[in-house]
Amino acid sequence: MQLPQHKARKGRPVRRGAEEHVRRIYRKLAQAWGPQHWWPAETPFEVIVGAILTQNTSWTNVERAMAQLRGAGVLSVEGIRNVPLAELESLIKSSGYFRQKAQRLKDFAGFVDVQFGGALEQMFALPTDVLRAELLKQKGIGMETADSILLYAGLHPLFVVDAYTRRIFERHGIVTESAKYDDIRWLVEGALAGEGAPLPSAVAETGSLPAVHRPSPMSMAQQTKNTRVYNEMHGLLVQIGKHYCSKGRPNCDMCPLGELLSLRQRARLRTAGRD
């Protein structure tokens, strides 16, 4: 795969040395924590449903909604197509914005039916850039959701940029606030294109690793090297964001990535955490 060449705009949204810093983050976390087993799902369609439902809510709420859909036997393109809208809304109520999300699921099932005869295999057979453009045309599907679908359900080699990634990279001086979604995505894809997938970690066996999902059919699916690495990097950054690099009070002294910060960066973040 030929990666896009990043073109710096005025203001340098991506700092000099950014790629090496990204590689250091990945290597440090991959060695310490090992595989993260993302995405926790049985089928590609479960990933898609989860990616839509997780917008503006916690994964715990999504898991409850997924359990309801699974119990009702509608966790498939056919199931979403045929279930009455009111029943679908009730099944996913725990995910929040349930009326809007139920319609999004109906719309997505209709998209797969009309464009691909109801077959996800045909959809995911499209070239990555072509399918990404098609997904982004769907109402309610933004870049993060589209790339989650491509990476975790379709096993396409794209990195998913979320709020955790942006926060961590900004605090480490890797990117500025002016960096766009694709600036960050291309940066990570270019930096990690030659990296290897993490091996099971000795740290994980001691119980000192932040809790990870159990291996699932989708997390263990056969993937290209780049797909696996982008998958793992996203999961590792989520762990940092959830447990150390919080929005209000970052815990840099305990964070595994704290030693990659300069003294000035640490001091600034401590001050910000007290505001």
Side-chain angles (χ1 to χ4, degrees), residues 78-115:
E78 181 181 12
I80 296 298
R81 179 200 310 133
N82 294 332
V83 65
L85 182 60
E87 182 179 347
L88 180 57
E89 291 174 353
S90 178
L91 290 169
I92 67 168
K93 195 168 185 177
S94 69
S95 69
Y97 301 95
F98 58 90
R99 291 189 177 89
Q100 182 184 77
K101 291 178 180 180
Q103 188 59 58
R104 295 286 184 268
L105 293 176
K106 284 285 189 181
D107 291 345
F108 196 91
F111 162 68
V112 177
D113 282 339
V114 171
Q115 298 294 328

Side-chain angles (χ1 to χ4, degrees), residues 4-23:
Q5 294 297 311
H6 173 76
K7 295 181 179 180
R9 300 188 308 277
K10 185 177 180 180
R12 298 191 65 84
V14 177
R15 303 292 195 186
R16 286 192 178 93
E19 288 199 355
E20 180 57 31
H21 199 138
V22 169
R23 281 191 287 270

Side-chain angles (χ1 to χ4, degrees), residues 53-70:
L53 294 184
T54 199
Q55 297 175 12
N56 301 306
T57 194
S58 69
W59 185 252
T60 300
N61 291 332
V62 173
E63 286 181 317
R64 287 199 290 268
M66 298 285 282
Q68 290 284 94
L69 293 170
R70 191 177 292 108

